[in-house]
mmCIF file with all atom_site columns, all heavy atoms in Angstrom:
data_model
loop_
_atom_site.group_PDB
_atom_site.id
_atom_site.type_symbol
_atom_site.label_atom_id
_atom_site.label_alt_id
_atom_site.label_comp_id
_atom_site.label_asym_id
_atom_site.label_entity_id
_atom_site.label_seq_id
_atom_site.pdbx_PDB_ins_code
_atom_site.Cartn_x
_atom_site.Cartn_y
_atom_site.Cartn_z
_atom_site.occupancy
_atom_site.B_iso_or_equiv
_atom_site.pdbx_formal_charge
_atom_site.auth_seq_id
_atom_site.auth_comp_id
_atom_site.auth_asym_id
_atom_site.auth_atom_id
_atom_site.pdbx_PDB_model_num
ATOM 1   N N   . GLY A 1 1  ? 64.884 -7.533  165.441 1.00 97.00 ? 172 GLY A N   1
ATOM 2   C CA  . GLY A 1 1  ? 65.150 -7.857  166.849 1.00 97.00 ? 172 GLY A CA  1
ATOM 3   C C   . GLY A 1 1  ? 64.490 -6.976  167.882 1.00 97.00 ? 172 GLY A C   1
ATOM 4   O O   . GLY A 1 1  ? 64.533 -7.289  169.078 1.00 97.00 ? 172 GLY A O   1
ATOM 5   N N   . THR A 1 2  ? 63.851 -5.879  167.472 1.00 97.00 ? 173 THR A N   1
ATOM 6   C CA  . THR A 1 2  ? 63.189 -4.997  168.444 1.00 97.00 ? 173 THR A CA  1
ATOM 7   C C   . THR A 1 2  ? 61.676 -5.193  168.466 1.00 97.00 ? 173 THR A C   1
ATOM 8   O O   . THR A 1 2  ? 60.970 -4.533  169.229 1.00 97.00 ? 173 THR A O   1
ATOM 9   C CB  . THR A 1 2  ? 63.489 -3.519  168.126 1.00 97.00 ? 173 THR A CB  1
ATOM 10  O OG1 . THR A 1 2  ? 62.989 -3.210  166.827 1.00 97.00 ? 173 THR A OG1 1
ATOM 11  C CG2 . THR A 1 2  ? 64.983 -3.239  168.204 1.00 97.00 ? 173 THR A CG2 1
ATOM 12  N N   . ILE A 1 3  ? 61.171 -6.105  167.607 1.00 97.00 ? 174 ILE A N   1
ATOM 13  C CA  . ILE A 1 3  ? 59.722 -6.308  167.535 1.00 97.00 ? 174 ILE A CA  1
ATOM 14  C C   . ILE A 1 3  ? 59.392 -7.784  167.616 1.00 97.00 ? 174 ILE A C   1
ATOM 15  O O   . ILE A 1 3  ? 60.263 -8.654  167.469 1.00 97.00 ? 174 ILE A O   1
ATOM 16  C CB  . ILE A 1 3  ? 59.128 -5.711  166.229 1.00 97.00 ? 174 ILE A CB  1
ATOM 17  C CG1 . ILE A 1 3  ? 59.805 -6.344  165.002 1.00 97.00 ? 174 ILE A CG1 1
ATOM 18  C CG2 . ILE A 1 3  ? 59.242 -4.202  166.211 1.00 97.00 ? 174 ILE A CG2 1
ATOM 19  C CD1 . ILE A 1 3  ? 59.219 -5.903  163.679 1.00 97.00 ? 174 ILE A CD1 1
ATOM 20  N N   . GLU A 1 4  ? 58.112 -8.091  167.811 1.00 97.00 ? 175 GLU A N   1
ATOM 21  C CA  . GLU A 1 4  ? 57.617 -9.458  167.803 1.00 97.00 ? 175 GLU A CA  1
ATOM 22  C C   . GLU A 1 4  ? 56.157 -9.415  167.358 1.00 97.00 ? 175 GLU A C   1
ATOM 23  O O   . GLU A 1 4  ? 55.528 -8.344  167.323 1.00 97.00 ? 175 GLU A O   1
ATOM 24  C CB  . GLU A 1 4  ? 57.742 -10.104 169.180 1.00 97.00 ? 175 GLU A CB  1
ATOM 25  C CG  . GLU A 1 4  ? 56.979 -9.386  170.282 1.00 97.00 ? 175 GLU A CG  1
ATOM 26  C CD  . GLU A 1 4  ? 57.314 -9.901  171.680 1.00 97.00 ? 175 GLU A CD  1
ATOM 27  O OE1 . GLU A 1 4  ? 58.340 -10.599 171.815 1.00 97.00 ? 175 GLU A OE1 1
ATOM 28  O OE2 . GLU A 1 4  ? 56.558 -9.594  172.610 1.00 97.00 ? 175 GLU A OE2 1
ATOM 29  N N   . VAL A 1 5  ? 55.622 -10.591 167.013 1.00 98.00 ? 176 VAL A N   1
ATOM 30  C CA  . VAL A 1 5  ? 54.238 -10.670 166.564 1.00 98.00 ? 176 VAL A CA  1
ATOM 31  C C   . VAL A 1 5  ? 53.441 -11.512 167.554 1.00 98.00 ? 176 VAL A C   1
ATOM 32  O O   . VAL A 1 5  ? 53.755 -12.694 167.766 1.00 98.00 ? 176 VAL A O   1
ATOM 33  C CB  . VAL A 1 5  ? 54.144 -11.279 165.150 1.00 98.00 ? 176 VAL A CB  1
ATOM 34  C CG1 . VAL A 1 5  ? 52.684 -11.424 164.724 1.00 98.00 ? 176 VAL A CG1 1
ATOM 35  C CG2 . VAL A 1 5  ? 54.911 -10.421 164.149 1.00 98.00 ? 176 VAL A CG2 1
ATOM 36  N N   . ALA A 1 6  ? 52.444 -10.889 168.171 1.00 97.00 ? 177 ALA A N   1
ATOM 37  C CA  . ALA A 1 6  ? 51.552 -11.602 169.083 1.00 97.00 ? 177 ALA A CA  1
ATOM 38  C C   . ALA A 1 6  ? 50.511 -12.344 168.247 1.00 97.00 ? 177 ALA A C   1
ATOM 39  O O   . ALA A 1 6  ? 49.748 -11.747 167.494 1.00 97.00 ? 177 ALA A O   1
ATOM 40  C CB  . ALA A 1 6  ? 50.870 -10.621 170.032 1.00 97.00 ? 177 ALA A CB  1
ATOM 41  N N   . VAL A 1 7  ? 50.485 -13.684 168.386 1.00 98.00 ? 178 VAL A N   1
ATOM 42  C CA  . VAL A 1 7  ? 49.691 -14.518 167.490 1.00 98.00 ? 178 VAL A CA  1
ATOM 43  C C   . VAL A 1 7  ? 48.209 -14.485 167.853 1.00 98.00 ? 178 VAL A C   1
ATOM 44  O O   . VAL A 1 7  ? 47.827 -14.662 169.014 1.00 98.00 ? 178 VAL A O   1
ATOM 45  C CB  . VAL A 1 7  ? 50.217 -15.965 167.509 1.00 98.00 ? 178 VAL A CB  1
ATOM 46  C CG1 . VAL A 1 7  ? 49.300 -16.878 166.710 1.00 98.00 ? 178 VAL A CG1 1
ATOM 47  C CG2 . VAL A 1 7  ? 51.631 -16.008 166.938 1.00 98.00 ? 178 VAL A CG2 1
ATOM 48  N N   . GLU A 1 8  ? 47.377 -14.291 166.838 1.00 97.00 ? 179 GLU A N   1
ATOM 49  C CA  . GLU A 1 8  ? 45.925 -14.357 166.988 1.00 97.00 ? 179 GLU A CA  1
ATOM 50  C C   . GLU A 1 8  ? 45.345 -15.553 166.229 1.00 97.00 ? 179 GLU A C   1
ATOM 51  O O   . GLU A 1 8  ? 44.264 -16.045 166.564 1.00 97.00 ? 179 GLU A O   1
ATOM 52  C CB  . GLU A 1 8  ? 45.294 -13.054 166.496 1.00 97.00 ? 179 GLU A CB  1
ATOM 53  C CG  . GLU A 1 8  ? 45.731 -11.844 167.328 1.00 97.00 ? 179 GLU A CG  1
ATOM 54  C CD  . GLU A 1 8  ? 45.294 -10.518 166.724 1.00 97.00 ? 179 GLU A CD  1
ATOM 55  O OE1 . GLU A 1 8  ? 44.575 -10.541 165.704 1.00 97.00 ? 179 GLU A OE1 1
ATOM 56  O OE2 . GLU A 1 8  ? 45.672 -9.472  167.269 1.00 97.00 ? 179 GLU A OE2 1
ATOM 57  N N   . GLU A 1 9  ? 46.080 -16.019 165.202 1.00 97.00 ? 180 GLU A N   1
ATOM 58  C CA  . GLU A 1 9  ? 45.668 -17.208 164.454 1.00 97.00 ? 180 GLU A CA  1
ATOM 59  C C   . GLU A 1 9  ? 46.919 -17.956 164.014 1.00 97.00 ? 180 GLU A C   1
ATOM 60  O O   . GLU A 1 9  ? 47.883 -17.342 163.536 1.00 97.00 ? 180 GLU A O   1
ATOM 61  C CB  . GLU A 1 9  ? 44.842 -16.819 163.222 1.00 97.00 ? 180 GLU A CB  1
ATOM 62  C CG  . GLU A 1 9  ? 44.390 -18.012 162.401 1.00 97.00 ? 180 GLU A CG  1
ATOM 63  C CD  . GLU A 1 9  ? 43.724 -17.608 161.092 1.00 97.00 ? 180 GLU A CD  1
ATOM 64  O OE1 . GLU A 1 9  ? 43.592 -16.392 160.827 1.00 97.00 ? 180 GLU A OE1 1
ATOM 65  O OE2 . GLU A 1 9  ? 43.338 -18.517 160.315 1.00 97.00 ? 180 GLU A OE2 1
ATOM 66  N N   . LEU A 1 10 ? 46.896 -19.278 164.162 1.00 98.00 ? 181 LEU A N   1
ATOM 67  C CA  . LEU A 1 10 ? 48.041 -20.109 163.770 1.00 98.00 ? 181 LEU A CA  1
ATOM 68  C C   . LEU A 1 10 ? 47.534 -21.299 162.973 1.00 98.00 ? 181 LEU A C   1
ATOM 69  O O   . LEU A 1 10 ? 46.619 -22.005 163.406 1.00 98.00 ? 181 LEU A O   1
ATOM 70  C CB  . LEU A 1 10 ? 48.805 -20.588 165.006 1.00 98.00 ? 181 LEU A CB  1
ATOM 71  C CG  . LEU A 1 10 ? 49.996 -21.521 164.746 1.00 98.00 ? 181 LEU A CG  1
ATOM 72  C CD1 . LEU A 1 10 ? 51.111 -20.782 164.008 1.00 98.00 ? 181 LEU A CD1 1
ATOM 73  C CD2 . LEU A 1 10 ? 50.534 -22.100 166.055 1.00 98.00 ? 181 LEU A CD2 1
ATOM 74  N N   . ARG A 1 11 ? 48.123 -21.497 161.807 1.00 98.00 ? 182 ARG A N   1
ATOM 75  C CA  . ARG A 1 11 ? 47.800 -22.679 161.002 1.00 98.00 ? 182 ARG A CA  1
ATOM 76  C C   . ARG A 1 11 ? 49.083 -23.488 160.800 1.00 98.00 ? 182 ARG A C   1
ATOM 77  O O   . ARG A 1 11 ? 50.129 -22.934 160.447 1.00 98.00 ? 182 ARG A O   1
ATOM 78  C CB  . ARG A 1 11 ? 47.243 -22.277 159.637 1.00 98.00 ? 182 ARG A CB  1
ATOM 79  C CG  . ARG A 1 11 ? 45.948 -21.474 159.684 1.00 98.00 ? 182 ARG A CG  1
ATOM 80  C CD  . ARG A 1 11 ? 45.400 -21.263 158.284 1.00 98.00 ? 182 ARG A CD  1
ATOM 81  N NE  . ARG A 1 11 ? 44.343 -20.256 158.263 1.00 98.00 ? 182 ARG A NE  1
ATOM 82  C CZ  . ARG A 1 11 ? 43.624 -19.956 157.192 1.00 98.00 ? 182 ARG A CZ  1
ATOM 83  N NH1 . ARG A 1 11 ? 43.861 -20.584 156.026 1.00 98.00 ? 182 ARG A NH1 1
ATOM 84  N NH2 . ARG A 1 11 ? 42.681 -19.029 157.249 1.00 98.00 ? 182 ARG A NH2 1
ATOM 85  N N   . ILE A 1 12 ? 48.980 -24.784 161.031 1.00 98.00 ? 183 ILE A N   1
ATOM 86  C CA  . ILE A 1 12 ? 50.093 -25.693 160.740 1.00 98.00 ? 183 ILE A CA  1
ATOM 87  C C   . ILE A 1 12 ? 49.819 -26.308 159.373 1.00 98.00 ? 183 ILE A C   1
ATOM 88  O O   . ILE A 1 12 ? 48.905 -27.118 159.209 1.00 98.00 ? 183 ILE A O   1
ATOM 89  C CB  . ILE A 1 12 ? 50.231 -26.788 161.805 1.00 98.00 ? 183 ILE A CB  1
ATOM 90  C CG1 . ILE A 1 12 ? 50.506 -26.159 163.186 1.00 98.00 ? 183 ILE A CG1 1
ATOM 91  C CG2 . ILE A 1 12 ? 51.358 -27.758 161.434 1.00 98.00 ? 183 ILE A CG2 1
ATOM 92  C CD1 . ILE A 1 12 ? 50.591 -27.166 164.321 1.00 98.00 ? 183 ILE A CD1 1
ATOM 93  N N   . LEU A 1 13 ? 50.593 -25.898 158.371 1.00 98.00 ? 184 LEU A N   1
ATOM 94  C CA  . LEU A 1 13 ? 50.372 -26.322 156.992 1.00 98.00 ? 184 LEU A CA  1
ATOM 95  C C   . LEU A 1 13 ? 51.085 -27.628 156.666 1.00 98.00 ? 184 LEU A C   1
ATOM 96  O O   . LEU A 1 13 ? 50.673 -28.352 155.751 1.00 98.00 ? 184 LEU A O   1
ATOM 97  C CB  . LEU A 1 13 ? 50.831 -25.224 156.029 1.00 98.00 ? 184 LEU A CB  1
ATOM 98  C CG  . LEU A 1 13 ? 50.192 -23.843 156.236 1.00 98.00 ? 184 LEU A CG  1
ATOM 99  C CD1 . LEU A 1 13 ? 50.759 -22.850 155.240 1.00 98.00 ? 184 LEU A CD1 1
ATOM 100 C CD2 . LEU A 1 13 ? 48.670 -23.916 156.128 1.00 98.00 ? 184 LEU A CD2 1
ATOM 101 N N   . ASN A 1 14 ? 52.176 -27.914 157.384 1.00 98.00 ? 185 ASN A N   1
ATOM 102 C CA  . ASN A 1 14 ? 52.877 -29.183 157.177 1.00 98.00 ? 185 ASN A CA  1
ATOM 103 C C   . ASN A 1 14 ? 53.842 -29.423 158.324 1.00 98.00 ? 185 ASN A C   1
ATOM 104 O O   . ASN A 1 14 ? 54.270 -28.477 159.000 1.00 98.00 ? 185 ASN A O   1
ATOM 105 C CB  . ASN A 1 14 ? 53.642 -29.193 155.848 1.00 98.00 ? 185 ASN A CB  1
ATOM 106 C CG  . ASN A 1 14 ? 53.681 -30.573 155.212 1.00 98.00 ? 185 ASN A CG  1
ATOM 107 O OD1 . ASN A 1 14 ? 53.464 -31.581 155.883 1.00 98.00 ? 185 ASN A OD1 1
ATOM 108 N ND2 . ASN A 1 14 ? 53.955 -30.630 153.919 1.00 98.00 ? 185 ASN A ND2 1
ATOM 109 N N   . THR A 1 15 ? 54.159 -30.709 158.536 1.00 98.00 ? 186 THR A N   1
ATOM 110 C CA  . THR A 1 15 ? 55.116 -31.097 159.570 1.00 98.00 ? 186 THR A CA  1
ATOM 111 C C   . THR A 1 15 ? 56.471 -31.356 158.926 1.00 98.00 ? 186 THR A C   1
ATOM 112 O O   . THR A 1 15 ? 56.642 -31.195 157.708 1.00 98.00 ? 186 THR A O   1
ATOM 113 C CB  . THR A 1 15 ? 54.632 -32.349 160.299 1.00 98.00 ? 186 THR A CB  1
ATOM 114 O OG1 . THR A 1 15 ? 54.490 -33.419 159.343 1.00 98.00 ? 186 THR A OG1 1
ATOM 115 C CG2 . THR A 1 15 ? 53.296 -32.097 160.996 1.00 98.00 ? 186 THR A CG2 1
ATOM 116 N N   . CYS A 1 16 ? 57.441 -31.770 159.696 1.00 97.00 ? 187 CYS A N   1
ATOM 117 C CA  . CYS A 1 16 ? 58.797 -32.041 159.184 1.00 97.00 ? 187 CYS A CA  1
ATOM 118 C C   . CYS A 1 16 ? 59.382 -33.235 159.923 1.00 97.00 ? 187 CYS A C   1
ATOM 119 O O   . CYS A 1 16 ? 59.286 -33.317 161.149 1.00 97.00 ? 187 CYS A O   1
ATOM 120 C CB  . CYS A 1 16 ? 59.676 -30.810 159.378 1.00 97.00 ? 187 CYS A CB  1
ATOM 121 S SG  . CYS A 1 16 ? 61.379 -31.024 158.814 1.00 97.00 ? 187 CYS A SG  1
ATOM 122 N N   . ASP A 1 17 ? 59.970 -34.163 159.177 1.00 97.00 ? 188 ASP A N   1
ATOM 123 C CA  . ASP A 1 17 ? 60.666 -35.296 159.789 1.00 97.00 ? 188 ASP A CA  1
ATOM 124 C C   . ASP A 1 17 ? 61.887 -34.808 160.564 1.00 97.00 ? 188 ASP A C   1
ATOM 125 O O   . ASP A 1 17 ? 62.287 -33.638 160.456 1.00 97.00 ? 188 ASP A O   1
ATOM 126 C CB  . ASP A 1 17 ? 61.113 -36.282 158.713 1.00 97.00 ? 188 ASP A CB  1
ATOM 127 C CG  . ASP A 1 17 ? 59.955 -37.134 158.199 1.00 97.00 ? 188 ASP A CG  1
ATOM 128 O OD1 . ASP A 1 17 ? 58.858 -37.074 158.798 1.00 97.00 ? 188 ASP A OD1 1
ATOM 129 O OD2 . ASP A 1 17 ? 60.156 -37.842 157.200 1.00 97.00 ? 188 ASP A OD2 1
ATOM 130 N N   . ILE A 1 18 ? 62.516 -35.750 161.295 1.00 96.00 ? 189 ILE A N   1
ATOM 131 C CA  . ILE A 1 18 ? 63.754 -35.420 162.006 1.00 96.00 ? 189 ILE A CA  1
ATOM 132 C C   . ILE A 1 18 ? 64.809 -34.997 160.990 1.00 96.00 ? 189 ILE A C   1
ATOM 133 O O   . ILE A 1 18 ? 65.050 -35.681 159.987 1.00 96.00 ? 189 ILE A O   1
ATOM 134 C CB  . ILE A 1 18 ? 64.251 -36.622 162.823 1.00 96.00 ? 189 ILE A CB  1
ATOM 135 C CG1 . ILE A 1 18 ? 63.232 -36.958 163.915 1.00 96.00 ? 189 ILE A CG1 1
ATOM 136 C CG2 . ILE A 1 18 ? 65.615 -36.327 163.446 1.00 96.00 ? 189 ILE A CG2 1
ATOM 137 C CD1 . ILE A 1 18 ? 63.546 -38.223 164.671 1.00 96.00 ? 189 ILE A CD1 1
ATOM 138 N N   . LEU A 1 19 ? 65.422 -33.858 161.225 1.00 97.00 ? 190 LEU A N   1
ATOM 139 C CA  . LEU A 1 19 ? 66.360 -33.283 160.255 1.00 97.00 ? 190 LEU A CA  1
ATOM 140 C C   . LEU A 1 19 ? 67.696 -34.023 160.255 1.00 97.00 ? 190 LEU A C   1
ATOM 141 O O   . LEU A 1 19 ? 68.207 -34.390 161.319 1.00 97.00 ? 190 LEU A O   1
ATOM 142 C CB  . LEU A 1 19 ? 66.609 -31.808 160.584 1.00 97.00 ? 190 LEU A CB  1
ATOM 143 C CG  . LEU A 1 19 ? 65.403 -30.873 160.445 1.00 97.00 ? 190 LEU A CG  1
ATOM 144 C CD1 . LEU A 1 19 ? 65.696 -29.535 161.097 1.00 97.00 ? 190 LEU A CD1 1
ATOM 145 C CD2 . LEU A 1 19 ? 65.040 -30.679 158.977 1.00 97.00 ? 190 LEU A CD2 1
ATOM 146 N N   . PRO A 1 20 ? 68.308 -34.220 159.071 1.00 97.00 ? 191 PRO A N   1
ATOM 147 C CA  . PRO A 1 20 ? 69.641 -34.838 159.001 1.00 97.00 ? 191 PRO A CA  1
ATOM 148 C C   . PRO A 1 20 ? 70.751 -33.889 159.454 1.00 97.00 ? 191 PRO A C   1
ATOM 149 O O   . PRO A 1 20 ? 71.858 -34.322 159.759 1.00 97.00 ? 191 PRO A O   1
ATOM 150 C CB  . PRO A 1 20 ? 69.790 -35.190 157.527 1.00 97.00 ? 191 PRO A CB  1
ATOM 151 C CG  . PRO A 1 20 ? 68.883 -34.238 156.805 1.00 97.00 ? 191 PRO A CG  1
ATOM 152 C CD  . PRO A 1 20 ? 67.740 -33.980 157.732 1.00 97.00 ? 191 PRO A CD  1
ATOM 153 N N   . PHE A 1 21 ? 70.466 -32.587 159.464 1.00 97.00 ? 192 PHE A N   1
ATOM 154 C CA  . PHE A 1 21 ? 71.406 -31.594 159.972 1.00 97.00 ? 192 PHE A CA  1
ATOM 155 C C   . PHE A 1 21 ? 70.604 -30.335 160.299 1.00 97.00 ? 192 PHE A C   1
ATOM 156 O O   . PHE A 1 21 ? 69.502 -30.125 159.764 1.00 97.00 ? 192 PHE A O   1
ATOM 157 C CB  . PHE A 1 21 ? 72.532 -31.279 158.972 1.00 97.00 ? 192 PHE A CB  1
ATOM 158 C CG  . PHE A 1 21 ? 72.071 -30.956 157.584 1.00 97.00 ? 192 PHE A CG  1
ATOM 159 C CD1 . PHE A 1 21 ? 71.598 -29.689 157.253 1.00 97.00 ? 192 PHE A CD1 1
ATOM 160 C CD2 . PHE A 1 21 ? 72.109 -31.917 156.582 1.00 97.00 ? 192 PHE A CD2 1
ATOM 161 C CE1 . PHE A 1 21 ? 71.171 -29.380 155.968 1.00 97.00 ? 192 PHE A CE1 1
ATOM 162 C CE2 . PHE A 1 21 ? 71.682 -31.627 155.289 1.00 97.00 ? 192 PHE A CE2 1
ATOM 163 C CZ  . PHE A 1 21 ? 71.216 -30.358 154.980 1.00 97.00 ? 192 PHE A CZ  1
ATOM 164 N N   . PRO A 1 22 ? 71.124 -29.494 161.179 1.00 95.00 ? 193 PRO A N   1
ATOM 165 C CA  . PRO A 1 22 ? 70.379 -28.285 161.555 1.00 95.00 ? 193 PRO A CA  1
ATOM 166 C C   . PRO A 1 22 ? 70.323 -27.270 160.418 1.00 95.00 ? 193 PRO A C   1
ATOM 167 O O   . PRO A 1 22 ? 71.260 -27.153 159.624 1.00 95.00 ? 193 PRO A O   1
ATOM 168 C CB  . PRO A 1 22 ? 71.160 -27.734 162.754 1.00 95.00 ? 193 PRO A CB  1
ATOM 169 C CG  . PRO A 1 22 ? 72.530 -28.320 162.635 1.00 95.00 ? 193 PRO A CG  1
ATOM 170 C CD  . PRO A 1 22 ? 72.374 -29.640 161.962 1.00 95.00 ? 193 PRO A CD  1
ATOM 171 N N   . ILE A 1 23 ? 69.211 -26.536 160.342 1.00 96.00 ? 194 ILE A N   1
ATOM 172 C CA  . ILE A 1 23 ? 69.057 -25.485 159.324 1.00 96.00 ? 194 ILE A CA  1
ATOM 173 C C   . ILE A 1 23 ? 69.647 -24.203 159.904 1.00 96.00 ? 194 ILE A C   1
ATOM 174 O O   . ILE A 1 23 ? 68.951 -23.332 160.428 1.00 96.00 ? 194 ILE A O   1
ATOM 175 C CB  . ILE A 1 23 ? 67.581 -25.292 158.939 1.00 96.00 ? 194 ILE A CB  1
ATOM 176 C CG1 . ILE A 1 23 ? 66.937 -26.631 158.586 1.00 96.00 ? 194 ILE A CG1 1
ATOM 177 C CG2 . ILE A 1 23 ? 67.467 -24.307 157.777 1.00 96.00 ? 194 ILE A CG2 1
ATOM 178 C CD1 . ILE A 1 23 ? 67.578 -27.359 157.434 1.00 96.00 ? 194 ILE A CD1 1
ATOM 179 N N   . GLU A 1 24 ? 70.956 -24.106 159.854 1.00 94.00 ? 195 GLU A N   1
ATOM 180 C CA  . GLU A 1 24 ? 71.669 -22.949 160.381 1.00 94.00 ? 195 GLU A CA  1
ATOM 181 C C   . GLU A 1 24 ? 72.998 -22.823 159.671 1.00 94.00 ? 195 GLU A C   1
ATOM 182 O O   . GLU A 1 24 ? 73.458 -23.760 159.002 1.00 94.00 ? 195 GLU A O   1
ATOM 183 C CB  . GLU A 1 24 ? 71.869 -23.082 161.897 1.00 94.00 ? 195 GLU A CB  1
ATOM 184 C CG  . GLU A 1 24 ? 72.674 -24.306 162.302 1.00 94.00 ? 195 GLU A CG  1
ATOM 185 C CD  . GLU A 1 24 ? 72.693 -24.552 163.795 1.00 94.00 ? 195 GLU A CD  1
ATOM 186 O OE1 . GLU A 1 24 ? 71.678 -24.239 164.445 1.00 94.00 ? 195 GLU A OE1 1
ATOM 187 O OE2 . GLU A 1 24 ? 73.707 -25.066 164.308 1.00 94.00 ? 195 GLU A OE2 1
ATOM 188 N N   . ASP A 1 25 ? 73.643 -21.674 159.801 1.00 94.00 ? 196 ASP A N   1
ATOM 189 C CA  . ASP A 1 25 ? 74.926 -21.436 159.137 1.00 94.00 ? 196 ASP A CA  1
ATOM 190 C C   . ASP A 1 25 ? 76.066 -22.120 159.885 1.00 94.00 ? 196 ASP A C   1
ATOM 191 O O   . ASP A 1 25 ? 75.923 -22.524 161.046 1.00 94.00 ? 196 ASP A O   1
ATOM 192 C CB  . ASP A 1 25 ? 75.185 -19.929 159.040 1.00 94.00 ? 196 ASP A CB  1
ATOM 193 C CG  . ASP A 1 25 ? 74.211 -19.236 158.096 1.00 94.00 ? 196 ASP A CG  1
ATOM 194 O OD1 . ASP A 1 25 ? 73.595 -19.942 157.272 1.00 94.00 ? 196 ASP A OD1 1
ATOM 195 O OD2 . ASP A 1 25 ? 74.069 -17.999 158.178 1.00 94.00 ? 196 ASP A OD2 1
ATOM 196 N N   . ASN A 1 26 ? 77.208 -22.255 159.191 1.00 92.00 ? 197 ASN A N   1
ATOM 197 C CA  . ASN A 1 26 ? 78.452 -22.774 159.785 1.00 92.00 ? 197 ASN A CA  1
ATOM 198 C C   . ASN A 1 26 ? 78.276 -24.172 160.361 1.00 92.00 ? 197 ASN A C   1
ATOM 199 O O   . ASN A 1 26 ? 78.747 -24.489 161.461 1.00 92.00 ? 197 ASN A O   1
ATOM 200 C CB  . ASN A 1 26 ? 78.970 -21.825 160.875 1.00 92.00 ? 197 ASN A CB  1
ATOM 201 C CG  . ASN A 1 26 ? 79.199 -20.424 160.361 1.00 92.00 ? 197 ASN A CG  1
ATOM 202 O OD1 . ASN A 1 26 ? 79.790 -20.222 159.303 1.00 92.00 ? 197 ASN A OD1 1
ATOM 203 N ND2 . ASN A 1 26 ? 78.700 -19.426 161.089 1.00 92.00 ? 197 ASN A ND2 1
ATOM 204 N N   . ILE A 1 27 ? 77.583 -25.051 159.618 1.00 94.00 ? 198 ILE A N   1
ATOM 205 C CA  . ILE A 1 27 ? 77.414 -26.426 160.082 1.00 94.00 ? 198 ILE A CA  1
ATOM 206 C C   . ILE A 1 27 ? 78.602 -27.278 159.645 1.00 94.00 ? 198 ILE A C   1
ATOM 207 O O   . ILE A 1 27 ? 79.234 -27.007 158.624 1.00 94.00 ? 198 ILE A O   1
ATOM 208 C CB  . ILE A 1 27 ? 76.102 -27.034 159.558 1.00 94.00 ? 198 ILE A CB  1
ATOM 209 C CG1 . ILE A 1 27 ? 76.047 -26.972 158.017 1.00 94.00 ? 198 ILE A CG1 1
ATOM 210 C CG2 . ILE A 1 27 ? 74.897 -26.334 160.176 1.00 94.00 ? 198 ILE A CG2 1
ATOM 211 C CD1 . ILE A 1 27 ? 74.838 -27.686 157.423 1.00 94.00 ? 198 ILE A CD1 1
#
């Protein structure tokens, strides 16, 4: 939480369909 990465190169390797539920805890 005290750092971040400034992007110099970005590759999109795959997409994702609309999710049936969120990818998070306590759903």
